[in-house]
Amino acid sequence: MANEGEVEEVEEHDALNLLNKPNLDWTGRAFLRLSSIYLDTMGRHHWVADKPKNPKTLWLPRPDKMDFEKGVRGDSLGIPTVTRWYYCRNTKDERQYDPEQVVWVRFPDPENPDYGSLSPADAAKVGADSYQAAMRSNLDLHERGVTAGAILTADGDSEIEFLDAGTT
């Protein structure tokens, strides 16, 4: 950023070059498109660099193949962190990466905000599953012929009236 809120366009930079051509097999557009697809469907994606400093290539692994070791930052704050990344952990294809080599982009899972991810598709599925469970419960009540023993109603003055279901 330049002074007084002016924006200075950067046309040449190593990071731009890397994003425009992340490796010999990918265009920047395809790389970013697949990154977006992984983020939307799995809630996360990883960009793995060939080396921690001044990388020359980026690789986009399948998110379900990535794993990590949990740790705590070395200062007195004790902030959760990742100490090691693995691709295909505990298999013959295992590869290990320093944390500085991996860019982890994710939608945090509210139940595990430090390490979990929750995709928009998973969030929508939770809503759909809840709806289906409610409908199954309602259908079950209907099929069993459940009748109310009493009904509480409120009239326009917000006075609650108790109606015995056995009376008319």
Side-chain angles (χ1 to χ4, degrees):
M1 297 281 291
N3 292 334
E4 300 178 23
E6 294 178 22
V7 176
E8 180 182 342
E9 183 177 356
V10 177
E11 295 181 13
E12 278 297 317
H13 191 278
D14 290 343
L16 285 174
N17 295 337
L18 188 58
L19 286 175
N20 283 325
K21 187 66 177 161
N23 58 52
L24 294 175
D25 298 321
W26 288 81
T27 64
R29 182 176 296 241
F31 188 81
L32 293 174
R33 182 178 296 142
L34 187 56
S35 297
S36 178
I37 290 170
Y38 281 155
L39 186 62
D40 290 343
T41 58
M42 302 183 83
R44 64 192 181 280
H45 73 74
H46 309 83
W47 292 347
V48 179
D50 59 342
K51 55 186 177 177
K53 302 285 185 202
N54 301 316
K56 300 299 180 208
T57 62
L58 289 176
W59 173 55
L60 184 65
R62 280 183 31 189
D64 59 320
K65 301 279 188 183
M66 293 295 288
D67 196 11
F68 55 85
E69 283 180 11
K70 298 176 184 178
V72 180
R73 205 167 77 181
D75 58 19
S76 61
L77 298 175
I79 296 173
T81 189
V82 173
T83 59
R84 195 85 182 136
W85 282 99
Y86 299 91
Y87 175 75
C88 291
R89 190 175 194 172
N90 299 323
T91 70
K92 64 179 180 59
D93 298 322
E94 179 179 303
R95 296 182 212 155
Q96 297 185 21
Y97 300 99
D98 294 330
E100 295 82 16
Q101 287 179 266
V102 179
V103 176
W104 183 22
V105 178
R106 67 188 177 102
F107 293 122
D109 182 350
E111 292 184 2
N112 184 2
D114 293 327
Y115 299 107
S117 60
L118 183 68
S119 74
D122 287 339
K125 186 176 180 316
V126 167
D129 289 347
S130 297
Y131 174 79
Q132 286 180 341
M135 291 298 103
R136 277 193 301 274
S137 175
N138 290 346
L139 180 61
D140 186 49
L141 290 173
H142 176 71
E143 288 175 344
R144 286 199 267 158
V146 174
T147 55
I151 301 172
L152 292 177
T153 63
D155 63 13
D157 297 328
S158 297
E159 292 183 19
I160 296 178
E161 182 180 348
F162 180 77
L163 302 176
D164 185 351
T167 63
T168 54

